[in-house]
mmCIF file with all atom_site columns, all heavy atoms in Angstrom:
data_model
loop_
_atom_site.group_PDB
_atom_site.id
_atom_site.type_symbol
_atom_site.label_atom_id
_atom_site.label_alt_id
_atom_site.label_comp_id
_atom_site.label_asym_id
_atom_site.label_entity_id
_atom_site.label_seq_id
_atom_site.pdbx_PDB_ins_code
_atom_site.Cartn_x
_atom_site.Cartn_y
_atom_site.Cartn_z
_atom_site.occupancy
_atom_site.B_iso_or_equiv
_atom_site.pdbx_formal_charge
_atom_site.auth_seq_id
_atom_site.auth_comp_id
_atom_site.auth_asym_id
_atom_site.auth_atom_id
_atom_site.pdbx_PDB_model_num
ATOM 1   N N   . ALA A 1 14  ? 5.447   1.866   7.267   1.00 89.00 ? 32  ALA A N   1
ATOM 2   C CA  . ALA A 1 14  ? 5.645   3.186   7.895   1.00 89.00 ? 32  ALA A CA  1
ATOM 3   C C   . ALA A 1 14  ? 4.246   3.797   8.333   1.00 89.00 ? 32  ALA A C   1
ATOM 4   O O   . ALA A 1 14  ? 4.082   4.536   9.284   1.00 89.00 ? 32  ALA A O   1
ATOM 5   C CB  . ALA A 1 14  ? 6.093   4.059   6.653   1.00 89.00 ? 32  ALA A CB  1
ATOM 6   N N   . VAL A 1 25  ? -2.661  10.164  5.975   1.00 82.00 ? 43  VAL A N   1
ATOM 7   C CA  . VAL A 1 25  ? -2.113  10.303  4.614   1.00 82.00 ? 43  VAL A CA  1
ATOM 8   C C   . VAL A 1 25  ? -3.038  10.247  3.571   1.00 82.00 ? 43  VAL A C   1
ATOM 9   O O   . VAL A 1 25  ? -2.959  11.027  2.616   1.00 82.00 ? 43  VAL A O   1
ATOM 10  C CB  . VAL A 1 25  ? -1.107  9.074   4.371   1.00 82.00 ? 43  VAL A CB  1
ATOM 11  C CG1 . VAL A 1 25  ? -0.564  9.087   2.983   1.00 82.00 ? 43  VAL A CG1 1
ATOM 12  C CG2 . VAL A 1 25  ? 0.136   9.329   5.495   1.00 82.00 ? 43  VAL A CG2 1
ATOM 13  N N   . ALA A 1 31  ? 1.444   17.745  -2.678  1.00 69.00 ? 49  ALA A N   1
ATOM 14  C CA  . ALA A 1 31  ? 2.357   17.742  -3.730  1.00 69.00 ? 49  ALA A CA  1
ATOM 15  C C   . ALA A 1 31  ? 3.665   18.093  -3.390  1.00 69.00 ? 49  ALA A C   1
ATOM 16  O O   . ALA A 1 31  ? 3.985   19.299  -3.338  1.00 69.00 ? 49  ALA A O   1
ATOM 17  C CB  . ALA A 1 31  ? 1.807   18.547  -4.873  1.00 69.00 ? 49  ALA A CB  1
ATOM 18  N N   . PRO A 1 33  ? 8.134   17.260  -3.147  1.00 68.00 ? 51  PRO A N   1
ATOM 19  C CA  . PRO A 1 33  ? 9.208   16.526  -3.967  1.00 68.00 ? 51  PRO A CA  1
ATOM 20  C C   . PRO A 1 33  ? 9.286   15.114  -3.766  1.00 68.00 ? 51  PRO A C   1
ATOM 21  O O   . PRO A 1 33  ? 9.437   14.333  -4.757  1.00 68.00 ? 51  PRO A O   1
ATOM 22  C CB  . PRO A 1 33  ? 10.457  17.246  -3.608  1.00 68.00 ? 51  PRO A CB  1
ATOM 23  C CG  . PRO A 1 33  ? 9.989   18.604  -3.155  1.00 68.00 ? 51  PRO A CG  1
ATOM 24  C CD  . PRO A 1 33  ? 8.628   18.335  -2.530  1.00 68.00 ? 51  PRO A CD  1
ATOM 25  N N   . GLY A 1 39  ? 6.372   8.694   -7.294  1.00 85.00 ? 57  GLY A N   1
ATOM 26  C CA  . GLY A 1 39  ? 5.508   8.545   -8.389  1.00 85.00 ? 57  GLY A CA  1
ATOM 27  C C   . GLY A 1 39  ? 6.179   8.578   -9.736  1.00 85.00 ? 57  GLY A C   1
ATOM 28  O O   . GLY A 1 39  ? 5.878   7.781   -10.612 1.00 85.00 ? 57  GLY A O   1
ATOM 29  N N   . ILE A 1 42  ? 7.967   5.247   -10.335 1.00 90.00 ? 60  ILE A N   1
ATOM 30  C CA  . ILE A 1 42  ? 7.099   4.138   -10.626 1.00 90.00 ? 60  ILE A CA  1
ATOM 31  C C   . ILE A 1 42  ? 6.425   4.214   -12.044 1.00 90.00 ? 60  ILE A C   1
ATOM 32  O O   . ILE A 1 42  ? 6.475   3.231   -12.880 1.00 90.00 ? 60  ILE A O   1
ATOM 33  C CB  . ILE A 1 42  ? 5.775   4.102   -9.716  1.00 90.00 ? 60  ILE A CB  1
ATOM 34  C CG1 . ILE A 1 42  ? 6.272   3.811   -8.273  1.00 90.00 ? 60  ILE A CG1 1
ATOM 35  C CG2 . ILE A 1 42  ? 4.792   3.243   -10.075 1.00 90.00 ? 60  ILE A CG2 1
ATOM 36  C CD1 . ILE A 1 42  ? 5.200   4.034   -7.108  1.00 90.00 ? 60  ILE A CD1 1
ATOM 37  N N   . ALA A 1 44  ? 8.111   5.851   -14.511 1.00 94.00 ? 62  ALA A N   1
ATOM 38  C CA  . ALA A 1 44  ? 9.156   5.422   -15.473 1.00 94.00 ? 62  ALA A CA  1
ATOM 39  C C   . ALA A 1 44  ? 9.337   3.831   -15.555 1.00 94.00 ? 62  ALA A C   1
ATOM 40  O O   . ALA A 1 44  ? 9.440   3.436   -16.816 1.00 94.00 ? 62  ALA A O   1
ATOM 41  C CB  . ALA A 1 44  ? 10.437  5.980   -14.819 1.00 94.00 ? 62  ALA A CB  1
ATOM 42  N N   . VAL A 1 53  ? 1.907   6.334   -20.788 1.00 95.00 ? 71  VAL A N   1
ATOM 43  C CA  . VAL A 1 53  ? 1.873   7.240   -19.635 1.00 95.00 ? 71  VAL A CA  1
ATOM 44  C C   . VAL A 1 53  ? 0.754   7.447   -18.828 1.00 95.00 ? 71  VAL A C   1
ATOM 45  O O   . VAL A 1 53  ? 0.780   7.525   -17.601 1.00 95.00 ? 71  VAL A O   1
ATOM 46  C CB  . VAL A 1 53  ? 2.810   8.558   -20.183 1.00 95.00 ? 71  VAL A CB  1
ATOM 47  C CG1 . VAL A 1 53  ? 1.938   9.440   -20.906 1.00 95.00 ? 71  VAL A CG1 1
ATOM 48  C CG2 . VAL A 1 53  ? 3.280   9.300   -18.799 1.00 95.00 ? 71  VAL A CG2 1
ATOM 49  N N   . TRP A 1 58  ? -2.407  6.063   -13.826 1.00 95.00 ? 76  TRP A N   1
ATOM 50  C CA  . TRP A 1 58  ? -3.528  5.339   -13.264 1.00 95.00 ? 76  TRP A CA  1
ATOM 51  C C   . TRP A 1 58  ? -3.129  4.192   -12.317 1.00 95.00 ? 76  TRP A C   1
ATOM 52  O O   . TRP A 1 58  ? -3.607  4.134   -11.208 1.00 95.00 ? 76  TRP A O   1
ATOM 53  C CB  . TRP A 1 58  ? -4.594  4.870   -14.245 1.00 95.00 ? 76  TRP A CB  1
ATOM 54  C CG  . TRP A 1 58  ? -5.207  5.891   -15.116 1.00 95.00 ? 76  TRP A CG  1
ATOM 55  C CD1 . TRP A 1 58  ? -5.166  7.338   -14.920 1.00 95.00 ? 76  TRP A CD1 1
ATOM 56  C CD2 . TRP A 1 58  ? -6.105  5.718   -16.225 1.00 95.00 ? 76  TRP A CD2 1
ATOM 57  N NE1 . TRP A 1 58  ? -5.793  7.914   -15.935 1.00 95.00 ? 76  TRP A NE1 1
ATOM 58  C CE2 . TRP A 1 58  ? -6.502  6.934   -16.688 1.00 95.00 ? 76  TRP A CE2 1
ATOM 59  C CE3 . TRP A 1 58  ? -6.540  4.511   -16.802 1.00 95.00 ? 76  TRP A CE3 1
ATOM 60  C CZ2 . TRP A 1 58  ? -7.347  7.117   -17.720 1.00 95.00 ? 76  TRP A CZ2 1
ATOM 61  C CZ3 . TRP A 1 58  ? -7.421  4.659   -17.843 1.00 95.00 ? 76  TRP A CZ3 1
ATOM 62  C CH2 . TRP A 1 58  ? -7.818  5.971   -18.357 1.00 95.00 ? 76  TRP A CH2 1
ATOM 63  N N   . ALA A 1 62  ? -3.590  3.837   -8.391  1.00 94.00 ? 80  ALA A N   1
ATOM 64  C CA  . ALA A 1 62  ? -4.447  2.670   -7.933  1.00 94.00 ? 80  ALA A CA  1
ATOM 65  C C   . ALA A 1 62  ? -3.477  1.831   -6.923  1.00 94.00 ? 80  ALA A C   1
ATOM 66  O O   . ALA A 1 62  ? -4.127  1.281   -5.888  1.00 94.00 ? 80  ALA A O   1
ATOM 67  C CB  . ALA A 1 62  ? -4.737  1.657   -9.110  1.00 94.00 ? 80  ALA A CB  1
ATOM 68  N N   . TYR A 1 65  ? -3.680  3.689   -3.673  1.00 90.00 ? 83  TYR A N   1
ATOM 69  C CA  . TYR A 1 65  ? -4.959  3.562   -3.031  1.00 90.00 ? 83  TYR A CA  1
ATOM 70  C C   . TYR A 1 65  ? -5.027  2.103   -2.454  1.00 90.00 ? 83  TYR A C   1
ATOM 71  O O   . TYR A 1 65  ? -5.706  2.050   -1.218  1.00 90.00 ? 83  TYR A O   1
ATOM 72  C CB  . TYR A 1 65  ? -6.005  3.812   -4.012  1.00 90.00 ? 83  TYR A CB  1
ATOM 73  C CG  . TYR A 1 65  ? -6.052  5.227   -4.684  1.00 90.00 ? 83  TYR A CG  1
ATOM 74  C CD1 . TYR A 1 65  ? -6.628  5.400   -5.839  1.00 90.00 ? 83  TYR A CD1 1
ATOM 75  C CD2 . TYR A 1 65  ? -5.585  6.383   -3.986  1.00 90.00 ? 83  TYR A CD2 1
ATOM 76  C CE1 . TYR A 1 65  ? -6.597  6.599   -6.437  1.00 90.00 ? 83  TYR A CE1 1
ATOM 77  C CE2 . TYR A 1 65  ? -5.636  7.593   -4.494  1.00 90.00 ? 83  TYR A CE2 1
ATOM 78  C CZ  . TYR A 1 65  ? -6.153  7.761   -5.822  1.00 90.00 ? 83  TYR A CZ  1
ATOM 79  O OH  . TYR A 1 65  ? -6.251  8.892   -6.316  1.00 90.00 ? 83  TYR A OH  1
ATOM 80  N N   . GLN A 1 75  ? -5.642  -0.864  10.411  1.00 92.00 ? 93  GLN A N   1
ATOM 81  C CA  . GLN A 1 75  ? -5.597  -0.035  11.650  1.00 92.00 ? 93  GLN A CA  1
ATOM 82  C C   . GLN A 1 75  ? -6.950  0.079   12.424  1.00 92.00 ? 93  GLN A C   1
ATOM 83  O O   . GLN A 1 75  ? -6.935  0.126   13.605  1.00 92.00 ? 93  GLN A O   1
ATOM 84  C CB  . GLN A 1 75  ? -5.071  1.374   11.197  1.00 92.00 ? 93  GLN A CB  1
ATOM 85  C CG  . GLN A 1 75  ? -3.580  1.387   10.911  1.00 92.00 ? 93  GLN A CG  1
ATOM 86  C CD  . GLN A 1 75  ? -2.994  2.650   10.679  1.00 92.00 ? 93  GLN A CD  1
ATOM 87  O OE1 . GLN A 1 75  ? -3.539  3.463   9.909   1.00 92.00 ? 93  GLN A OE1 1
ATOM 88  N NE2 . GLN A 1 75  ? -1.764  2.924   11.050  1.00 92.00 ? 93  GLN A NE2 1
ATOM 89  N N   . LEU A 1 77  ? -9.175  -2.242  12.569  1.00 88.00 ? 95  LEU A N   1
ATOM 90  C CA  . LEU A 1 77  ? -9.359  -3.585  13.192  1.00 88.00 ? 95  LEU A CA  1
ATOM 91  C C   . LEU A 1 77  ? -8.460  -3.653  14.453  1.00 88.00 ? 95  LEU A C   1
ATOM 92  O O   . LEU A 1 77  ? -8.872  -4.207  15.455  1.00 88.00 ? 95  LEU A O   1
ATOM 93  C CB  . LEU A 1 77  ? -9.013  -4.792  12.310  1.00 88.00 ? 95  LEU A CB  1
ATOM 94  C CG  . LEU A 1 77  ? -10.238 -5.096  11.275  1.00 88.00 ? 95  LEU A CG  1
ATOM 95  C CD1 . LEU A 1 77  ? -9.625  -6.098  10.316  1.00 88.00 ? 95  LEU A CD1 1
ATOM 96  C CD2 . LEU A 1 77  ? -11.417 -5.344  11.963  1.00 88.00 ? 95  LEU A CD2 1
ATOM 97  N N   . GLU A 1 79  ? -7.604  -0.968  16.239  1.00 87.00 ? 97  GLU A N   1
ATOM 98  C CA  . GLU A 1 79  ? -8.230  -0.097  17.247  1.00 87.00 ? 97  GLU A CA  1
ATOM 99  C C   . GLU A 1 79  ? -9.400  -0.885  18.007  1.00 87.00 ? 97  GLU A C   1
ATOM 100 O O   . GLU A 1 79  ? -9.489  -0.639  19.077  1.00 87.00 ? 97  GLU A O   1
ATOM 101 C CB  . GLU A 1 79  ? -8.729  1.147   16.596  1.00 87.00 ? 97  GLU A CB  1
ATOM 102 C CG  . GLU A 1 79  ? -7.639  2.221   16.343  1.00 87.00 ? 97  GLU A CG  1
ATOM 103 C CD  . GLU A 1 79  ? -6.896  2.651   17.563  1.00 87.00 ? 97  GLU A CD  1
ATOM 104 O OE1 . GLU A 1 79  ? -7.645  3.061   18.585  1.00 87.00 ? 97  GLU A OE1 1
ATOM 105 O OE2 . GLU A 1 79  ? -5.664  2.619   17.582  1.00 87.00 ? 97  GLU A OE2 1
ATOM 106 N N   . ASP A 1 86  ? -14.319 -6.825  19.384  1.00 79.00 ? 104 ASP A N   1
ATOM 107 C CA  . ASP A 1 86  ? -13.885 -8.035  18.614  1.00 79.00 ? 104 ASP A CA  1
ATOM 108 C C   . ASP A 1 86  ? -14.866 -7.869  17.446  1.00 79.00 ? 104 ASP A C   1
ATOM 109 O O   . ASP A 1 86  ? -16.091 -7.737  17.427  1.00 79.00 ? 104 ASP A O   1
ATOM 110 C CB  . ASP A 1 86  ? -14.171 -9.292  19.278  1.00 79.00 ? 104 ASP A CB  1
ATOM 111 C CG  . ASP A 1 86  ? -13.706 -10.514 18.490  1.00 79.00 ? 104 ASP A CG  1
ATOM 112 O OD1 . ASP A 1 86  ? -13.253 -10.408 17.422  1.00 79.00 ? 104 ASP A OD1 1
ATOM 113 O OD2 . ASP A 1 86  ? -13.753 -11.658 18.991  1.00 79.00 ? 104 ASP A OD2 1
ATOM 114 N N   . ARG A 1 90  ? -19.332 -7.867  16.382  1.00 77.00 ? 108 ARG A N   1
ATOM 115 C CA  . ARG A 1 90  ? -20.091 -7.023  15.333  1.00 77.00 ? 108 ARG A CA  1
ATOM 116 C C   . ARG A 1 90  ? -20.780 -7.943  14.335  1.00 77.00 ? 108 ARG A C   1
ATOM 117 O O   . ARG A 1 90  ? -21.908 -7.623  13.798  1.00 77.00 ? 108 ARG A O   1
ATOM 118 C CB  . ARG A 1 90  ? -19.246 -6.050  14.794  1.00 77.00 ? 108 ARG A CB  1
ATOM 119 C CG  . ARG A 1 90  ? -18.799 -4.866  15.721  1.00 77.00 ? 108 ARG A CG  1
ATOM 120 C CD  . ARG A 1 90  ? -17.993 -4.009  15.019  1.00 77.00 ? 108 ARG A CD  1
ATOM 121 N NE  . ARG A 1 90  ? -17.564 -2.847  16.011  1.00 77.00 ? 108 ARG A NE  1
ATOM 122 C CZ  . ARG A 1 90  ? -17.399 -1.595  15.710  1.00 77.00 ? 108 ARG A CZ  1
ATOM 123 N NH1 . ARG A 1 90  ? -17.359 -1.165  14.421  1.00 77.00 ? 108 ARG A NH1 1
ATOM 124 N NH2 . ARG A 1 90  ? -17.103 -0.746  16.701  1.00 77.00 ? 108 ARG A NH2 1
ATOM 125 N N   . GLU A 1 97  ? -26.060 -13.122 5.585   1.00 88.00 ? 115 GLU A N   1
ATOM 126 C CA  . GLU A 1 97  ? -27.103 -14.110 5.275   1.00 88.00 ? 115 GLU A CA  1
ATOM 127 C C   . GLU A 1 97  ? -26.601 -15.305 4.477   1.00 88.00 ? 115 GLU A C   1
ATOM 128 O O   . GLU A 1 97  ? -27.050 -16.363 4.595   1.00 88.00 ? 115 GLU A O   1
ATOM 129 C CB  . GLU A 1 97  ? -28.321 -13.430 4.322   1.00 88.00 ? 115 GLU A CB  1
ATOM 130 C CG  . GLU A 1 97  ? -29.034 -12.429 5.168   1.00 88.00 ? 115 GLU A CG  1
ATOM 131 C CD  . GLU A 1 97  ? -30.176 -11.797 4.384   1.00 88.00 ? 115 GLU A CD  1
ATOM 132 O OE1 . GLU A 1 97  ? -30.632 -12.434 3.471   1.00 88.00 ? 115 GLU A OE1 1
ATOM 133 O OE2 . GLU A 1 97  ? -30.508 -10.753 4.859   1.00 88.00 ? 115 GLU A OE2 1
ATOM 134 N N   . ALA A 1 102 ? -20.091 -15.831 4.748   1.00 89.00 ? 120 ALA A N   1
ATOM 135 C CA  . ALA A 1 102 ? -19.787 -15.799 6.157   1.00 89.00 ? 120 ALA A CA  1
ATOM 136 C C   . ALA A 1 102 ? -18.473 -16.603 6.422   1.00 89.00 ? 120 ALA A C   1
ATOM 137 O O   . ALA A 1 102 ? -17.544 -16.164 7.136   1.00 89.00 ? 120 ALA A O   1
ATOM 138 C CB  . ALA A 1 102 ? -20.925 -16.388 6.970   1.00 89.00 ? 120 ALA A CB  1
ATOM 139 N N   . ALA A 1 111 ? -6.882  -14.426 8.901   1.00 93.00 ? 129 ALA A N   1
ATOM 140 C CA  . ALA A 1 111 ? -5.569  -14.316 8.356   1.00 93.00 ? 129 ALA A CA  1
ATOM 141 C C   . ALA A 1 111 ? -4.765  -13.229 8.943   1.00 93.00 ? 129 ALA A C   1
ATOM 142 O O   . ALA A 1 111 ? -5.258  -12.165 9.223   1.00 93.00 ? 129 ALA A O   1
ATOM 143 C CB  . ALA A 1 111 ? -5.701  -14.165 6.835   1.00 93.00 ? 129 ALA A CB  1
ATOM 144 N N   . GLY A 1 120 ? -2.923  -9.431  -1.841  1.00 96.00 ? 138 GLY A N   1
ATOM 145 C CA  . GLY A 1 120 ? -3.651  -8.435  -2.700  1.00 96.00 ? 138 GLY A CA  1
ATOM 146 C C   . GLY A 1 120 ? -2.639  -7.750  -3.631  1.00 96.00 ? 138 GLY A C   1
ATOM 147 O O   . GLY A 1 120 ? -2.992  -7.466  -4.775  1.00 96.00 ? 138 GLY A O   1
ATOM 148 N N   . GLY A 1 135 ? 4.936   -6.275  -23.015 1.00 64.00 ? 153 GLY A N   1
ATOM 149 C CA  . GLY A 1 135 ? 5.683   -7.120  -23.989 1.00 64.00 ? 153 GLY A CA  1
ATOM 150 C C   . GLY A 1 135 ? 5.513   -6.686  -25.428 1.00 64.00 ? 153 GLY A C   1
ATOM 151 O O   . GLY A 1 135 ? 5.984   -7.332  -26.339 1.00 64.00 ? 153 GLY A O   1
ATOM 152 N N   . SER A 1 138 ? 9.133   -1.627  -25.338 1.00 47.00 ? 156 SER A N   1
ATOM 153 C CA  . SER A 1 138 ? 9.220   -0.542  -24.437 1.00 47.00 ? 156 SER A CA  1
ATOM 154 C C   . SER A 1 138 ? 9.301   0.655   -25.118 1.00 47.00 ? 156 SER A C   1
ATOM 155 O O   . SER A 1 138 ? 9.909   0.856   -26.127 1.00 47.00 ? 156 SER A O   1
ATOM 156 C CB  . SER A 1 138 ? 10.295  -0.837  -23.347 1.00 47.00 ? 156 SER A CB  1
ATOM 157 O OG  . SER A 1 138 ? 11.572  -0.665  -23.882 1.00 47.00 ? 156 SER A OG  1
#
Side-chain angles (χ1 to χ4, degrees):
V43 171
I60 296 168
V71 67
W76 295 355
Y83 299 151
Q93 288 181 315
L95 287 170
E97 282 299 309
D104 185 357
R108 289 184 177 206
E115 292 180 22
S156 63

